[in-house]
Amino acid sequence: LSLAYTLEMIKPKRLWVFGLDFYFAPYMKKQTQVTNLNIDQQALKLERLNLPYFVFNLFKSYPNTKIFVSTAYPKWPKINNIQIIN
């Protein structure tokens, strides 16, 4: 929600985003919170939410904002206003 708010209300010319990895492994294995779901169930839940698709479309819908993303997520599509920094 903070990304959507920033893009819609603040309308920055440049936006830096750090750590938007969509819980890409090995982060899920390092959880310290107690949960009723095992790692496979958590992965399936995240897959159903399809967060990457939502974020990709959100970023695509603000072509006047140059978005720099520092991420370990390997499946970012080519989007004109996004620069991936590994």
Side-chain angles (χ1 to χ4, degrees), residues 10-46:
I10 298 173
K11 299 180 188 337
K13 290 183 181 185
R14 293 186 187 127
L15 177 65
W16 287 82
V17 180
F18 295 91
L20 189 58
D21 298 332
F22 306 109
Y23 298 98
F24 182 71
Y27 300 112
M28 290 176 61
K29 297 175 186 168
K30 295 181 181 180
Q31 283 187 343
T32 57
Q33 294 179 351
V34 177
T35 179
N36 293 332
L37 300 176
N38 66 33
I39 290 175
D40 291 334
Q41 290 172 317
Q42 291 176 36
L44 288 172
K45 180 181 178 182
L46 288 170

Side-chain angles (χ1 to χ4, degrees), residues 40-59:
D40 291 334
Q41 290 172 317
Q42 291 176 36
L44 288 172
K45 180 181 178 182
L46 288 170
E47 192 175 306
R48 283 193 310 269
L49 291 173
N50 205 0
L51 291 176
Y53 177 79
F54 174 80
V55 171
F56 301 155
N57 283 325
L58 175 68
F59 287 178

Side-chain angles (χ1 to χ4, degrees), residues 50-85:
N50 205 0
L51 291 176
Y53 177 79
F54 174 80
V55 171
F56 301 155
N57 283 325
L58 175 68
F59 287 178
K60 227 189 286 189
S61 65
Y62 291 90
N64 294 328
T65 299
K66 179 68 175 178
I67 303 170
F68 301 89
V69 182
S70 176
T71 182
Y73 187 72
K75 298 178 182 177
W76 279 84
K78 175 75 174 132
I79 300 172
N80 290 336
N81 62 322
I82 296 178
Q83 182 177 339
I84 302 299
I85 301 168

